Amino acid sequence: MLRRARELGPPVLVPLAWTFVVAAHLGIVAVRTLFIAHVVMSALLAVFAVTGRSDMRRGTLLVWWRLIAVGLLVTLCGTAGFLLEPVADPLQAIALFGWMLLPAVGFVDTGRRVPSGAWVYLGGAAACGLGAVAYAVGIIAATDPIAVAGLAAVGLGQTAGILDAAIRY
């Protein structure tokens, strides 16, 4: 059952997480709720990294396991950002941009290894990169529609990649 949850959890959790991020950006979600979400995500990533390690020792799965391990550290930075006021913004930026860009690395690796359908992964990687840039531009220019479009691009790109991987494997 745990193996099945590891296989089917990401296709549900990835779009849910990015929907949550958009809601947080728009001020729909309270700061305390974001803190709780970071704690829960940290726990889920830790469990996933520990329980999935034996199945993720080679090839692209090893790359993804390493990204999950780094992602746990990135998420813990975001969690700490809720507790450490002087460095809150930089720590939370590490978490947000880390999760925008870390999956892009995995998508590029997966895209070059799959015999067909590489466009899904390479497109997901491109959406991550372009979305991160759009979000940064939207924040710097104080233009919510651009920032939200960047978050949506990241979410859609990552969702497409994780859904394809879940169906394919």
Side-chain angles (χ1 to χ4, degrees):
M1 183 163 135
L2 185 58
R3 181 182 178 98
R4 194 81 171 135
R6 283 193 330 255
E7 292 170 356
L8 298 177
V12 172
L13 294 174
V14 168
L16 180 64
W18 286 108
T19 301
F20 198 80
V21 171
V22 170
H25 177 82
L26 295 173
I28 298 169
V29 177
V31 173
R32 180 162 171 73
T33 306
L34 285 174
F35 172 69
I36 293 167
H38 274 76
V39 170
V40 169
M41 187 55 72
S42 296
L44 289 173
L45 287 167
V47 168
F48 190 91
V50 170
T51 63
R53 178 68 177 122
S54 63
D55 293 331
M56 302 175 83
R57 292 184 184 206
R58 290 184 181 65
T60 198
L61 289 177
L62 177 59
V63 170
W64 280 102
W65 185 86
R66 289 176 177 161
L67 292 171
I68 291 164
V70 172
L72 171 59
L73 297 176
V74 162
T75 305
L76 289 171
C77 283
T79 305
F82 289 99
L83 304 172
L84 305 172
E85 188 53 44
V87 291
D89 288 345
L91 287 173
Q92 290 171 349
I94 288 169
L96 182 58
F97 284 97
W99 276 113
M100 287 179 171
L101 299 173
L102 280 172
V105 174
F107 288 148
V108 168
D109 179 71
T110 304
R112 67 181 188 86
R113 292 179 193 251
V114 295
S116 65
W119 64 271
V120 174
Y121 301 103
L122 299 178
C128 288
L130 292 172
V133 169
Y135 183 76
V137 167
I139 292 300
I140 291 167
T143 308
D144 268 351
I146 294 173
V148 170
L151 293 173
V154 171
L156 290 171
Q158 290 183 11
T159 298
I162 199 68
L163 281 174
D164 186 75
I167 292 167
R168 186 182 299 258
Y169 302 102

